[in-house]
Amino acid sequence: MDAKQAARTSAQSGRKDARRNHARLLATARELFLEQGADASLDALARRAGVGIGTLYRHFPTRQNLLEALLTESYDNLSSRARELTGSASPEVALTTWLQAFITEVTEVRGMAASVMATLRDERSEVFTSCTSMRAAGEVLFREAQRAGLIPPEVEFLDVLRLVGAIAMAAEQEPDVADRLLALALRGLMPGAETPVPAAGAEARGPGAG
Amino acid sequence: MDAKQAARTSAQSGRKDARRNHARLLATARELFLEQGADASLDALARRAGVGIGTLYRHFPTRQNLLEALLTESYDNLSSRARELTGSASPEVALTTWLQAFITEVTEVRGMAASVMATLRDERSEVFTSCTSMRAAGEVLFREAQRAGLIPPEVEFLDVLRLVGAIAMAAEQEPDVADRLLALALRGLMPGAETPVPAAGAEARGPGAG
DNA sequence: GTAGAATGCGGAGGCGTCCCCCGGTACACG
DNA sequence: CGTGTACCGGGGGACGCCTCCGCATTCTAC
């Protein structure tokens, strides 16, 4: 039985104590991680939840497992948020508002943004379903903005999420820069430039510039 | 004696063995962190450097201290890189090339980007001098691009560094997205939009979008 | 209600890491 | 060459991670 199934199994197990402990651990984890960040001691978590350490590890064999369970809730929040914003008269405001919400949600627990970045690319993750839903819901907003001519057609939504996720990682250390960085990312540093970025190999003095 | 002074003292101490151990530790740290990331075991570092663990902690009381010492070298590299690129016929290529170099340099050691973000804001840091030089050298490139009309005048260079640092943090997990994210950040998601980003409080459905 | 089986619980303990601390030692200085 | 000082080394306590297994609780069948 792998980690993924372990978590799922105990969530649906017929035994009452197992379900209760599962719920208790999840709630306590959210509380503790909010206070201390995603690297809080798991021993402390078990203690605070009033549960043996063995029980914690049976329900969530890895810390990542625990984070992903919490992440699921965040993704679901963001999904409904996106649906609320869909069809807005201003696709621009809708998308930027949602991206702000993304950052806020993900920044709440210090260290969570890294997990977000991980789940964005890992298709085998426990949270893949929630993550996909969120991506789909957000992409609707994105397409609306694109249809309105606000976003160049060749931009990929996944890259946008990655960029905003990167901003969230930075914002965990310095919360007040989140808005400015998001604004900068949206407008672009060099909006008018023709060459988006030179080829990665072009580390020399610059083609045709010497 | 605080951590900052401890490191500085041993770097300049009259004693030969102290200087030798300092240099040895620094070289070994670079080697080990390149291999294993910035969270490699410090016991292992001392062992590999052929030095007692106590010596390591006297020279570098915290892991952050060690990272910052390495960071100094990176910052110095980036400074000279910027100076090489200054005055290029294409300010656009010069700046983007330098920003790429920034990401490459900072991504080399897994976990370093977080320290970079930290030193960008901490004026009391051991590396503040190097960091400031680098910022100044980079800002010359930035101003050239601004003078060429490539960058809106109200953009702040520090925010650019923060954004690129954020991309670097993300790129540590997924190196191949660095170029795409940088390109996206340079052009902007919504280059033509008028409202850069709604006020942080505007979490409602969207003004006038009722 | 009861007995047996299945499943989950709990925490001791092994391991690795971090970091403090102090007895001993090598070096600078006269 | 002698002396004091600053540095060296590593033992050891504290803590966190995770495994393992005897015991308790819950479920199921009758």
Side-chain angles (χ1 to χ4, degrees):
Chain A
M1 185 196 277
D2 66 8
K4 185 174 172 179
Q5 286 176 339
R8 177 153 292 158
T9 298
S10 32
Q12 302 171 341
S13 159
R15 271 184 70 156
K16 204 197 302 178
D17 51 353
R19 267 173 319 194
R20 191 199 51 211
N21 283 336
H22 187 91
R24 221 209 269 294
L25 281 168
L26 220 45
T28 308
R30 174 164 291 278
E31 187 184 301
L32 192 71
F33 286 177
L34 268 176
E35 286 172 22
Q36 305 187 7
D39 57 348
S41 155
L42 295 185
D43 280 328
L45 169 55
R47 225 176 302 128
R48 190 188 284 202
V51 152
I53 185 67
T55 301
L56 168 60
Y57 277 94
R58 192 167 327 95
H59 283 282
F60 303 100
T62 71
R63 176 184 236 95
Q64 185 66 14
N65 253 254
L66 204 44
L67 288 174
E68 290 181 352
L70 296 179
L71 220 44
T72 302
E73 297 178 23
S74 293
Y75 284 152
D76 292 348
N77 285 347
L78 287 171
S79 288
S80 28
R81 192 33 122 51
R83 278 188 286 270
E84 286 171 19
L85 290 164
T86 298
S88 157
S90 168
E92 180 186 344
V93 171
L95 181 58
T96 54
T97 300
W98 187 73
L99 291 177
Q100 279 183 332
F102 183 94
I103 292 179
T104 303
E105 182 81 45
V106 150
T107 305
E108 215 162 50
V109 169
R110 232 174 341 101
M112 188 76 100
S115 293
V116 171
M117 297 298 290
T119 59
L120 278 181
R121 73 166 180 281
D122 180 13
E123 312 205 339
R124 266 154 197 69
S125 159
E126 168 75 2
V127 287
F128 187 58
T129 309
S130 296
C131 183
T132 302
S133 300
M134 179 216 62
R135 279 169 57 180
E139 191 157 6
V140 174
L141 298 178
F142 176 79
R143 296 257 176 259
E144 283 181 356
Q146 228 167 19
R147 218 173 301 122
L150 292 162
I151 298 174
E154 73 276 13
V155 174
E156 280 184 33
F157 181 61
L158 183 55
D159 281 341
V160 174
L161 279 187
R162 282 198 261 244
L163 184 57
V164 176
I167 292 174
M169 286 179 78
E172 282 180 351
Q173 294 186 15
E174 218 172 345
D176 45 312
V177 302
D179 282 345
R180 291 216 307 288
L181 293 191
L182 180 57
L184 186 55
L186 291 181
R187 306 161 98 231
L189 178 58
M190 298 186 202
E194 291 144 23
T195 322
V197 77
E203 300 260 325
R205 300 299 170 272
Chain B
M1 184 195 279
D2 67 6
K4 183 176 172 181
Q5 286 177 338
R8 176 154 294 159
T9 299
S10 34
Q12 301 171 342
S13 158
R15 280 193 56 166
K16 205 198 302 178
D17 52 353
R19 266 173 319 196
R20 191 199 52 213
N21 282 337
H22 187 90
R24 222 209 272 292
L25 281 168
L26 221 45
T28 309
R30 172 164 293 276
E31 186 184 300
L32 192 70
F33 286 177
L34 270 176
E35 286 172 22
Q36 305 187 8
D39 58 348
S41 155
L42 295 185
D43 281 324
L45 169 56
R47 226 176 302 124
R48 191 190 284 203
V51 153
I53 186 68
T55 301
L56 167 59
Y57 277 95
R58 192 168 326 95
H59 283 284
F60 304 99
T62 70
R63 183 187 292 277
Q64 184 67 12
N65 253 255
L66 204 46
L67 289 173
E68 290 182 353
L70 296 180
L71 220 45
T72 302
E73 298 177 24
S74 293
Y75 284 151
D76 293 347
N77 285 346
L78 288 170
S79 288
S80 28
R81 192 32 123 51
R83 277 188 286 270
E84 287 171 19
L85 290 164
T86 298
S88 156
S90 168
E92 180 186 343
V93 172
L95 181 57
T96 52
T97 301
W98 187 74
L99 290 177
Q100 279 181 333
F102 183 94
I103 292 179
T104 304
E105 183 82 43
V106 150
T107 305
E108 214 162 52
V109 170
R110 232 173 339 102
M112 187 75 99
S115 294
V116 171
M117 297 299 289
T119 60
L120 278 182
R121 74 167 179 282
D122 181 11
E123 311 205 338
R124 266 154 196 68
S125 160
E126 168 76 3
V127 287
F128 186 58
T129 309
S130 295
C131 183
T132 303
S133 300
M134 179 216 63
R135 279 169 55 179
E139 190 157 6
V140 173
L141 298 178
F142 176 79
R143 295 260 175 257
E144 284 181 357
Q146 228 168 19
R147 218 173 301 122
L150 292 163
I151 298 175
E154 73 276 13
V155 174
E156 279 184 33
F157 181 60
L158 183 54
D159 281 341
V160 175
L161 279 189
R162 282 198 260 245
L163 184 56
V164 176
I167 293 174
M169 285 179 79
E172 282 180 351
Q173 293 185 15
E174 218 172 345
D176 45 312
V177 303
D179 283 345
R180 290 217 308 287
L181 293 191
L182 180 57
L184 186 55
L186 291 180
R187 303 159 100 231
L189 177 58
M190 298 186 200
E194 290 144 25
T195 323
V197 77
E203 300 259 324
R205 301 295 172 274

